[in-house]
Amino acid sequence: MKAADKPLRRAPAKGSKPRELKQERAVRTREQVLSAAATAFAERGFPAVTMLDVAELTGMTKGAVYFHYANKEALAVAVAEEFYQRLPLITEKVRKAGLPPVQAVAELLHRTAAAFRDDTIIQAGARLQIESSLIDATLPRPFDGFTESITELLGEAKEAGELPASCNPEVLGRVLVAAFFGMQHISWRLNNRADLTTRVEEIIEAALPQIKKPAHEAS
Ligand code: LUB
């Protein structure tokens, strides 16, 4: 029978697990592989990691890893894509909190810093972006999404009269993203991210001086 004539679904062999269970397990396995790859990329960088390293981290065979991802480049792309799934979720959560816009920008920066400190996918995604010239695949375009989220909130802040008339939300958005990007990189290299959330407070205070500090912190 020609390949095109093959039925799409085969009846499960006697004694085999129902399709849904197998699919759930496959999804879980794929997530485990992605998470192991993120750990390896975050800690050692794309060039140093092999598919065998990823397999060993998961306790699976190399074949099992290759079943889910064709090569190391595919893993890098998948980790980077997951990074850009997670960043907007932070914005979504902050928006749901319904804070005044300037406060929301501060909260977004703060939570993003905590995510860079705690989330391996995010750490790996950021590292892969700076290593992108060493990766023979197209990664998602960096910075645009985050810049847009911040600029949008700053635009709302301006409309609400929370920012000085001279403040251009697009310019301040770019400045904040550049500052954040540099800050998280420096914190990683110099302090293994231990000071990430304190350093982000400095950015917030310097760039958004109109934010009222809690009374006990005001000097
Ligand atoms: C974020 C990185 C690292 C920006 O693409 C991106 O949005 C980002 C990629 O290099 O940090 C967060 C300010």
Side-chain angles (χ1 to χ4, degrees):
M1 169 160 60
K2 279 188 299 183
D5 299 334
K6 272 193 192 154
L8 285 174
R9 288 157 180 267
R10 257 175 301 153
K14 241 196 181 157
S16 79
K17 295 209 173 135
R19 186 185 308 277
E20 297 90 302
L21 279 184
K22 275 196 183 167
Q23 279 178 354
E24 275 168 34
R25 198 182 50 198
V27 167
R28 228 183 20 251
T29 306
R30 210 178 142 84
E31 282 170 2
Q32 279 167 8
V33 173
L34 197 72
S35 147
T39 301
F41 290 148
E43 284 175 4
R44 297 168 45 228
F46 181 83
V49 174
T50 66
M51 291 293 266
L52 181 60
D53 295 334
V54 176
E56 281 173 354
L57 273 175
T58 61
M60 296 173 203
T61 63
K62 216 164 72 165
V65 171
Y66 276 108
F67 177 78
H68 289 281
Y69 295 97
N71 49 41
K72 197 168 63 148
E73 285 73 18
L75 268 171
V77 169
V79 169
E81 282 175 351
E82 179 61 27
F83 170 44
Y84 292 109
Q85 296 285 316
R86 291 186 186 192
L87 278 182
L89 293 181
I90 305 176
T91 305
E92 234 172 77
K93 271 199 191 145
V94 168
R95 281 202 166 274
K96 284 205 178 119
L99 299 163
V102 173
Q103 222 83 35
V105 173
E107 187 64 22
L108 175 59
L109 291 169
H110 189 85
R111 288 196 197 194
T112 305
F116 271 75
R117 181 195 59 199
D118 300 334
D119 185 337
T120 315
I121 294 269
I122 287 182
Q123 292 165 0
R127 182 163 184 168
L128 289 169
Q129 285 293 7
I130 60 177
E131 293 172 346
S132 68
S133 66
L134 308 171
I135 304 171
D136 189 12
T138 307
L139 300 185
R141 189 175 144 94
F143 306 121
D144 281 354
F146 197 71
T147 307
E148 214 174 282
S149 297
I150 291 210
T151 303
E152 223 173 81
L153 282 168
L154 289 169
E156 292 167 28
K158 183 139 189 207
E159 246 167 59
E162 293 183 359
L163 292 174
S166 62
C167 172
N168 176 334
E170 282 177 14
V171 173
L172 185 54
R174 282 196 294 271
V175 168
L176 278 171
V177 171
F180 185 100
F181 175 72
M183 179 282 287
Q184 61 80 28
H185 184 80
I186 294 168
S187 171
W188 167 43
R189 297 304 308 272
L190 297 189
N191 296 303
N192 203 21
R193 302 194 179 91
D195 62 345
L196 230 157
T197 52
T198 19
R199 292 285 92 83
V200 81
E201 294 311 322
E202 295 175 351
I203 295 178
I204 293 167
E205 282 175 35
L208 303 167
Q210 54 278 78
I211 286 187
K212 302 273 177 296
K213 281 189 258 177
H216 69 274
E217 279 178 30
S219 42

